Amino acid sequence: MLDAMLAKLEALQPLPEEDKKLLHAIVGKGRPIKAGDPITLEGEQYKLVHVMLSGHACRYKILADGKRQIIGYLVPGDFCDLFGFLLDRMDHSISALTPCEIVELTEDDVLMLTARPMLARALWWSNLVDSAILREWLVNVGRRTPDKRIAHILCELLVRLQTVGVARSNGFRLALSQADLGDTVGLTTVSVNRALQRLRRSRLIVQTSREITIPDVSALMAFADFDPSYLHFRQDRDEPLQPRQEIA
């Protein structure tokens, strides 16, 4: 069950075998979460770090009028607010979108992991990527047209899910409803439906129920102005730094 986590971390920073063994020892077996169930709620004391072993979840905020804004997706291999234990209380909620399996780590567990230099680098990098994704989402909502907003989200999901081995080369199973997509990109369900129709008519995507197939991935990425470099996976940058040699 740790395959996705290791794939995610090693897409950022190669890990020595000792670090992988430590991850296996600390992370261990997960527990199931039903679709729709909360993982953490805004205002709760933050005591545990949650790790996604399988399934999909989302971060969100609920406004005073009951409207929801989704502010992040969590896929297999993701840490939910890795250093959140530094805060007193949660400033957003996290809920499962599909049946999930998660692991709960303590502050001591995280500090043990970050005591290993290469593992610490991978974890810090993972945390920085979360911030980069949020910045890209702000641009997406603020400046792109509805069909490009949806296309950009689909491109991001394709790359993130491929990285952890749960997507095909040209498609994936969409774990989001149209209402979820609307709450992500600031559109009504009607507008999301129209945007998806335009993408289908243009043959940029083929959708069968929840299965998304992308006939020409490069064409969809070009249409969405999608540049995967903000995800910072190794194929999108130079060779990673190697561990420094100890000075005798």
Side-chain angles (χ1 to χ4, degrees), residues 153-165:
I153 289 293
L154 296 179
C155 289
E156 180 185 291
L157 282 170
L158 177 68
V159 174
R160 291 175 65 187
L161 293 173
Q162 282 177 339
T163 300
V164 297

Side-chain angles (χ1 to χ4, degrees), residues 11 26 43 48 60 75 77 94 108 122 145 161 174 184 188 192 198-199:
I26 289 180
L48 297 171
Y60 64 94
V75 303
I94 301 174
D108 288 342
T145 59
L161 293 173
L174 186 65
T184 301
T188 65
V192 169
R198 286 194 290 272
L199 294 175

Side-chain angles (χ1 to χ4, degrees), residues 147 178 188-199 201:
D147 47 357
Q178 292 189 7
T188 65
T189 304
V190 171
S191 295
V192 169
N193 185 273
R194 288 173 179 166
L196 288 169
Q197 287 182 25
R198 286 194 290 272
L199 294 175
R201 284 197 302 268

Side-chain angles (χ1 to χ4, degrees), residues 3 6 14 17 25 39-40 50 52 87 104 106 114 117 124 146 165 202 212 220 223 242:
D3 289 350
L6 287 171
E17 287 302 316
I39 296 174
T40 59
H50 299 88
M52 300 287 297
L87 306 175
E104 295 173 337
T106 65
T114 55
W124 291 337
S202 301
I212 298 290
L220 184 66
F223 172 78
Q242 297 302 311

Side-chain angles (χ1 to χ4, degrees), residues 32-150:
I33 298 286
K34 294 179 181 177
D37 282 358
I39 296 174
T40 59
L41 292 174
E42 185 172 356
E44 287 184 345
Q45 286 190 320
Y46 202 115
K47 295 181 179 179
L48 297 171
V49 173
H50 299 88
V51 186
M52 300 287 297
L53 293 186
S54 67
H56 299 252
C58 69
R59 311 175 195 271
Y60 64 94
K61 300 270 289 186
I62 298 292
L63 304 182
D65 61 3
K67 292 180 180 178
R68 178 183 65 162
Q69 179 65 48
I70 292 178
I71 54 176
Y73 296 147
L74 295 160
V75 303
D78 284 346
F79 285 75
C80 308
D81 299 312
L82 180 58
F83 299 109
F85 56 78
L86 297 172
L87 306 175
D88 290 331
R89 295 186 181 277
M90 284 290 293
D91 57 20
H92 65 281
S93 300
I94 301 174
S95 287
L97 291 167
T98 68
C100 297
E101 187 166 4
I102 65 167
V103 168
E104 295 173 337
L105 303 182
T106 65
E107 178 179 349
D108 288 342
D109 291 332
V110 175
L111 293 177
M112 193 179 301
L113 293 174
T114 55
R116 304 282 303 180
M118 291 298 100
L119 189 48
R121 183 182 179 87
L123 292 171
W124 291 337
W125 216 317
S126 175
N127 209 49
L128 289 170
V129 168
D130 289 343
S131 298
I133 290 172
L134 185 57
R135 288 191 290 271
E136 192 66 28
W137 279 29
L138 285 172
V139 174
N140 202 36
V141 171
R143 292 299 178 186
R144 293 190 179 108
T145 59
D147 47 357
K148 288 190 175 184
R149 292 183 207 179
I150 299 296

